[in-house]
């Protein structure tokens, strides 16, 4: 006949094992749920990366993103229609406008057609011409042709 101490010890061990098993089952379930969520997020990230790659390929070099280090370069926005309209308001040809900007006439033609965009370093010069009048433009043009 076993003594009471051995029976008590065995019973305590049995109850402890049952409690530990119950606690570990909860942890196993939550761990499995977390793994499922992580796997779903990984699939979602992979799908989004593929989309970004596809969009990047379709955009190509048509609209390059200008990453200027200077804040003045990032403040300026460019619109081909607005450039053409402003040039016409000033009464200048594309070649004359190009002289004022210090670029080739072909560059101005391509900017206005939307085939290319000016470099970030050229945007401040374009913006500076945005606020001049016909008289000022004619004076600058006469000064630069001398």
């Amino acid at each position: 006949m076993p003594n009471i101490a051995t029976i008590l010890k065995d019973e305590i061990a049995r109850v402890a094992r049952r409690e530990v098993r119950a606690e570990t089952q909860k942890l196993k379930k939550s761990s499995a749920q977390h793994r499922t969520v992580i796997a779903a997020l990984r699939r979602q990230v992979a799908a989004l990366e593929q989309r970004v790659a596809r969009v990047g390929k379709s955009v190509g070099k048509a609209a390059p993103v200008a990453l200027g280090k200077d804040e003045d370069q990032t403040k300026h926005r460019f619109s081909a229609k607005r450039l053409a309209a402003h040039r016409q308001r000033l009464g200048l040809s594309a070649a004359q406008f190009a002289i004022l900007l210090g670029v080739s006439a072909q560059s101005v033609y391509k900017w206005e057609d939307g085939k290319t965009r000016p470099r970030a370093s050229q945007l401040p010069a374009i913006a500076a011409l945005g606020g001049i009048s016909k008289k000022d433009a004619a004076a600058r043009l006469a000064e630069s042709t001398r």
Side-chain angles (χ1 to χ4, degrees):
M1 184 162 159
N3 68 12
I4 192 107
T6 308
I7 294 173
L8 190 58
K9 185 179 174 185
D10 290 341
E11 185 63 21
I12 290 172
R14 186 185 67 78
V15 170
R17 278 194 304 270
R18 191 172 80 193
E19 289 295 320
V20 168
R21 194 177 312 123
E23 287 298 318
T24 56
Q25 287 299 325
K26 291 178 189 175
L27 290 174
K28 284 181 183 178
K29 283 183 182 180
S30 68
S31 176
Q33 287 175 343
H34 289 307
R35 277 189 259 118
T36 303
V37 170
I38 290 170
L41 288 173
R42 283 185 178 158
R43 285 191 298 271
Q44 188 178 10
V45 166
L48 290 173
E49 285 176 344
Q50 288 176 349
R51 275 178 144 177
V52 167
R54 271 189 259 132
V55 168
K57 286 180 183 178
S58 68
V59 169
K61 294 184 180 180
V65 176
L67 297 175
K69 294 179 184 175
D70 192 50
E71 287 183 17
D72 291 338
Q73 293 177 350
T74 58
K75 283 196 298 189
H76 302 296
R77 293 186 295 179
F78 175 76
S79 168
K81 289 181 182 179
R82 286 188 300 152
L83 181 72
H86 184 64
R87 179 183 62 80
Q88 290 169 357
R89 268 195 307 270
L90 293 176
L92 299 174
S93 67
Q96 292 170 328
F97 200 68
I99 291 171
L100 289 177
L101 290 173
V103 296
S104 69
Q106 190 67 33
S107 295
V108 174
Y109 285 121
K110 287 184 177 183
W111 294 344
E112 289 179 355
D113 285 342
K115 292 180 182 177
T116 61
R117 291 179 51 86
R119 293 183 180 137
S121 60
Q122 296 166 333
L123 289 176
I126 294 170
L129 285 181
I132 66 170
S133 65
K134 277 186 176 183
K135 196 176 197 181
D136 292 336
R140 285 187 188 184
L141 188 61
E143 184 179 303
S144 64
T145 56
R146 289 182 190 176

